[in-house]
Structure formats: C-alpha cells, structure tokens
Amino acid sequence: MVLGKLGKLKQYSDLFAASAAFRGTQNMALTTIALLVRDKLGLGPSTIGVIGAVAGASMVASTFLVSSRAKPHQLERSVIAGSVLLIAALVVIGASQTVWEVIVGAILLGVSGGLGLPGLTGVVQRAARTGGVGSERLLALYTLVLSGSLAVAPLVEAFLLEQVGQDVRWPFFAFTVFPIITIAAMVSRMRHAPANPSSTATGSADRPPRRRAISLHPVQKALVAQLMYAVPFAGITVFGAEVARAQAHATAAQAQLAFTAFFATSLLSRAVLAWLAPVKRKSSAFILSGVLTLAGIAIIATGHSFAFFLIGMAVVGVPHGIIFPLGLSLLADSLAPEELPRANSTLIGASNLVSVAVPPLLGEIAVAYGYEPMMLSIDAPALILLAVLAYLLYSHSVAAGRTPLGDQQAG
C-alpha cells in the first residue's frame, strides 16, 4: 500500500522540485537582504524596514493585479515569469553598491513572489483534484516540500558563507541556478498539459458564486488565521537575522542556522499533517498555532542568548507549518477550480499586504526603543487576531450545532 502511494506521488516530483527551488531561493533573498544592507552598505534598521516594505508592496501588487486574474491554464506561465524575475532580482541585489540598487532588486523580488507562489499553489490545487492521492494530503505534501526547501536553503547558505569568509553577496549569485529548475519543470508541464484545461473544473455549477467566495466561512477562517501569523512572520523574515546578530550575538552563518531551526519545526509539523490528512479538528489546530506564535515571539524577544533565540525560532516554526496548508485545504474543499486563483491571491496577498506596513513600523520601533520592545510589539496584533479567530470558530460552530473548536457534529 505504501509503495502504491509513493508510485502515485512520482507524478508530482517535478512540481515538488519546482516549488522547493523557487521558495527556497526567494526566502534566502528575503532573509539575507538585511545582512547585505548592514554589512555592505552600512545602513540600519530603518532602511531595512523600508526595503522590506518595498518588496512587500511589489508582491502585493503583482498578487492582486496579476495572479488573482490568472486562469487555471495560465498558472505555469505565471510561475515561469516569476522565476525569470527572481533570477534578475538575485543578480541586482548581489551586485548592488547603493541602496537604490537594492530597492530595484527588492521590487523585482517582490513581483517574482507575487507571481510565483500563487501560481505554484494553483498548479498543485488543480493537480490535487485528479491525482488520486487525496486533495488535503497532496496539499500537505506540497507545503511540506516548501518547508523542506526553507529548512535546507539556510543550511546551504550558511555553508557557502563559511567558504567565502561571511561575504553575504555570494549567496545571491550562487542561488540563481535554482529558479532555472522551476522554469524547466513548468515548461515540461505545459508540454504535457491536457488539450482542454477547463475540463478539470467539474462540479463548478454546485459551487458558491464567485462574488460570494470571500464571505464563505472556510475562507474567512483561513484568512483570519493567515493574518494572525502574518505580522510575526514579516517581522522574523525582515529582522530575524539582524536580531540574532544584535541581541543574541550570532554570526551571519549562525543567524541562518536559526532560520533552519524555524523551518525544521515547520517541516515536522507539515509532515504530521500529511500523515494525519484529512485533519478533522482544524479549528483546534488554528488555535494552538496562535498560542505557539505568541509564546515563540516572547521567547525571541526576552531571551538574550543564541540558545533562547534558537528555541524561540523553533517554537514559532510550528504554526508556520500548520496554518498555510490547512488554509489551502479549506479553500480547495469549498471552491471551484476557477475560483481558486482569486481565493489563493486573497489569502497570500492579504498576508503580503501586512508585510508592506509592518517592516517600516517595526524599524522605527527598533530605532526608538530597541529590538526587544520591537519583537514584543509583534505579539499585540497576533493576540487580537487570535481572539477574532476564536470568536469566529465558536460562533460558527454553535450555529452549525458543532462542538466549540471542533469540526465534527456534537453528540
């Protein structure tokens, strides 16, 4: 039976490789910009925050203006375009000598993410309907691959930094080889695509109308849960490496190892989800994710050693592993194929929208009060959204005659 499941999964090996190559490279660039700006340009947290906001704004714009309008048969082209822009961003940032060049690279990086990640997600969701391995399991495996790439990429970068004397320019150039893998995989899938791509949109007549998609309870639940984690993730992505250097006295390589701890627990969480799929008590998993987010950020903020920083990053990695795949599962189960690009873009774009406002604000807090108050401030919006999510889950559960925080009928 296990061999049979593995055989079914082989048909997705190219898609998994493409996803890992794209996401790992994009995240490397996002987390290393802060080190390059500090080490090579001599600029501080305010500038880092502005650059993070520029990347986030570019990602939001491309997500809402382009990816949300993509048709199911256009998703591979979106990924290819995102990969080409990702290569360009890496070269521009790696070779930058001024802050304006970094900003140009950040814009390219943001646009590439806004095209690539929703496109990859849509391709997987489309494939999940016809692959025979179960929609939720395939989506969990997809996000498991994403976490795997996010855990491995910092290790590769840390090794490279050790070889080049901690010169943070080199990873940008070395990682340009990975988006080429993504491009090749997407070209191959386009060549072998069915003649009538719209034929997979079966059952759409029984689905809710497109204009009502965002009002659906599953979409609301997924959106609030994703936003609950968006502020902490934006703060960690943009400032995590610098907090490790300034507060935990870590080297550049050690800072990247901390990201490996973060993505390792995310990877483990998604492996558990893939094993348990379908997860019956998604509401409880969302609430647990919120609690762990608050706890992990508090540990990072108040711990003043590299050991505590590692522990905090590991704790915060768990909700990162849980929230996104369960959110995608809720969308895939409640929407028709032609509705998914818009819903995916809403979920991903709303999270990216937070990344526009958060980095500059956090940068100003860091300048005025230091990194510890900055990190603690991240918990405030997460706590508020956790309360909102709990209220939504409770009210809808009661209205549906279900056990609070459960997803099954009571009694």
Side-chain angles (χ1 to χ4, degrees):
M1 187 169 94
V2 174
L3 291 177
K5 290 183 178 180
L6 290 176
K8 292 179 179 179
L9 290 174
K10 287 178 64 177
Q11 62 183 304
Y12 305 111
S13 58
D14 61 335
L15 186 52
F16 289 157
S19 302
F22 184 90
R23 189 67 181 100
T25 301
Q26 185 206 29
N27 192 72
M28 180 284 300
L30 287 171
T31 59
T32 310
I33 283 180
L35 298 179
L36 185 145
V37 170
R38 177 67 178 269
D39 291 358
K40 299 300 182 180
L41 304 182
L43 300 173
S46 294
T47 303
I48 294 172
V50 170
I51 292 172
V54 168
S58 304
M59 192 176 299
V60 169
S62 60
T63 299
F64 283 123
L65 298 179
V66 182
S67 293
S68 65
R69 301 178 182 182
K71 306 299 182 184
H73 66 279
Q74 298 173 327
L75 296 173
E76 285 86 356
R77 293 186 180 91
S78 180
V79 178
I80 291 172
S83 299
V84 171
L85 291 175
L86 179 56
I87 294 172
L90 294 173
V91 173
V92 171
I93 296 171
S96 62
Q97 300 295 326
T98 68
V99 67
W100 297 109
E101 292 171 333
V102 177
I103 288 174
V104 171
I107 293 173
L108 294 172
L109 183 62
V111 175
S112 74
L115 296 177
L117 186 56
L120 284 166
T121 302
V123 173
V124 174
Q125 287 173 321
R126 190 183 63 200
R129 294 177 177 269
T130 58
V133 297
S135 173
E136 187 167 323
R137 176 166 281 112
L138 182 59
L139 289 169
L141 288 170
Y142 162 65
T143 58
L144 177 64
V145 169
L146 295 182
S147 281
S149 69
L150 297 176
V152 172
L155 286 175
V156 174
E157 183 179 5
F159 174 79
L160 180 61
L161 287 170
E162 290 289 353
Q163 305 307 308
V164 297
Q166 305 295 321
D167 188 339
V168 294
R169 291 191 187 277
W170 282 104
F172 289 95
F173 298 121
F175 272 69
T176 56
V177 300
F178 295 113
I180 297 174
I181 298 174
T182 305
I183 294 172
M186 292 300 105
V187 169
S188 175
R189 292 188 68 85
M190 289 172 64
R191 288 177 177 173
H192 297 89
N196 182 15
S198 62
S199 62
T200 58
T202 57
S204 59
D206 298 327
R207 298 288 183 173
R210 183 185 185 94
R211 63 182 179 274
R212 296 184 56 201
I214 306 306
S215 67
L216 290 172
H217 173 234
V219 180
Q220 293 175 341
K221 185 193 299 185
L223 182 59
V224 174
Q226 190 70 24
L227 289 175
M228 175 182 66
Y229 192 74
V231 174
F233 187 64
I236 288 173
T237 301
V238 176
F239 290 101
E242 183 58 24
V243 170
R245 292 275 295 273
Q247 191 162 303
H249 310 293
T251 66
Q254 287 176 326
Q256 293 305 317
L257 288 175
F259 278 100
T260 294
F262 174 92
F263 291 119
T265 55
S266 173
L267 177 69
L268 180 60
S269 300
R270 290 178 177 179
V272 172
L273 290 182
W275 179 264
L276 297 177
V279 177
K280 295 181 179 180
R281 299 184 67 86
K282 294 182 177 66
S283 301
S284 299
F286 282 136
I287 295 298
L288 174 63
S289 297
V291 173
L292 290 176
T293 298
L294 297 174
I297 292 298
I299 294 172
I300 292 172
T302 58
H304 292 273
S305 70
F306 185 60
F308 275 107
F309 188 83
L310 278 176
I311 293 171
M313 291 287 277
V315 172
V316 179
V318 175
H320 178 269
I322 292 175
I323 291 174
F324 188 54
L326 290 187
L328 291 181
S329 177
L330 288 173
L331 296 183
D333 291 342
S334 60
L335 301 176
E338 65 271 15
E339 296 171 321
L340 285 175
R342 178 171 177 259
N344 289 336
S345 296
T346 299
L347 186 67
I348 297 172
S351 181
N352 291 337
L353 187 60
V354 173
S355 69
V356 177
V358 166
L361 180 59
L362 293 180
E364 293 303 319
I365 294 174
V367 170
Y369 304 104
Y371 282 119
E372 181 174 336
M374 182 201 77
M375 292 302 297
L376 286 173
S377 70
I378 291 175
D379 266 350
L383 179 60
I384 293 171
L385 286 166
L386 175 59
V388 172
L389 179 62
Y391 172 77
L392 283 175
L393 296 175
Y394 181 83
S395 61
H396 282 280
S397 295
V398 171
R402 297 173 180 173
T403 305
L405 301 185
D407 294 283
Q408 297 177 339
Q409 294 289 338

